Amino acid sequence: MKYILTNTLNCGYTFFYNVNRERGEQFVEYLYIIAAGLFGLIVYFLVSSFRLKKAVSGLTQEQFIEGYRKAQLVDVREPKEYDGGHILGARNIPSSQMRQRYKEIRSDKPVYLYCQNSARSARTALFLKKKGYNQIYQLQGGFRQWTGKIKAK
């Protein structure tokens, strides 16, 4: 009876040890997968950041004011945002329509882009760069930080 009880306890311990060992190995595999995914995301964001810096030049409000009268000023926000207020002299080509309407922008003149906070204008700048536009500038901080003249409907 003592032998059966001891043997049963040993088998139970062995089973428990093997199950935990398999779970531990699976856990380590999951950690490797998660680490690889995080590494991939970091590389993606670094490459995107590098591409963005090559595609667009960020301008302060003062620099933007100095040059936007000689350039094409494009507000890439949606029409409702544009109607709520926009920089005087800007025309509205929403980023959601840029693929269909980018030919409305001349490639031989500088392009000044802005949106609410610079995210959409950055994506638009990358798109225009792929289409052959070279003189692309973006308002740092976007319309949200603009203190110059505005027009509202």
Side-chain angles (χ1 to χ4, degrees):
M1 180 83 159
K2 187 176 182 183
Y3 173 74
I4 294 172
L5 183 61
T6 307
N7 197 18
T8 304
L9 289 174
N10 284 339
C11 286
Y13 173 74
T14 303
F15 175 76
F16 181 72
Y17 175 75
N18 286 336
V19 168
N20 279 342
R21 187 169 150 200
E22 288 174 13
R23 285 185 182 164
E25 290 171 359
Q26 286 176 343
F27 181 71
V28 170
E29 288 176 14
Y30 290 139
L31 283 179
Y32 282 131
I33 292 169
I34 291 169
L38 287 174
F39 179 74
L41 281 173
I42 291 170
V43 168
Y44 171 77
F45 284 118
L46 288 175
V47 168
S48 294
S49 174
F50 180 71
R51 284 179 49 215
L52 178 62
K53 286 181 183 177
K54 285 180 67 176
V56 65
S57 300
L59 300 177
T60 64
Q61 181 171 326
E62 292 78 26
Q63 294 168 324
F64 201 83
I65 289 171
E66 285 175 19
Y68 85 89
R69 297 240 184 246
K70 300 174 195 148
Q72 303 168 90
L73 182 57
V74 181
D75 184 332
V76 298
R77 299 176 302 158
E78 293 302 313
K80 284 184 179 181
E81 295 173 287
Y82 179 82
D83 292 342
H86 57 273
I87 297 173
L88 197 59
R91 65 181 155 153
N92 185 226
I93 303 177
S95 59
S96 61
Q97 299 173 13
M98 191 57 68
R99 291 190 189 284
Q100 296 83 22
R101 297 181 58 191
Y102 75 91
K103 290 183 180 176
E104 295 176 24
I105 304 169
R106 292 177 49 178
S107 60
D108 61 332
K109 290 182 75 178
V111 180
Y112 278 43
L113 302 171
Y114 74 92
C115 64
Q116 194 65 26
N117 61 11
S118 301
R120 287 176 281 183
S121 58
R123 285 193 304 271
T124 301
L126 283 173
F127 173 77
L128 291 174
K129 184 73 172 179
K130 287 180 186 176
K131 295 297 182 184
Y133 293 78
N134 294 317
Q135 299 176 50
I136 306 169
Y137 303 92
Q138 171 187 4
L139 176 61
Q140 291 175 352
F143 185 72
R144 182 179 47 177
Q145 296 187 1
W146 180 259
T147 59
K149 293 181 182 179
I150 62 168
K151 181 177 180 182
K153 288 188 176 181

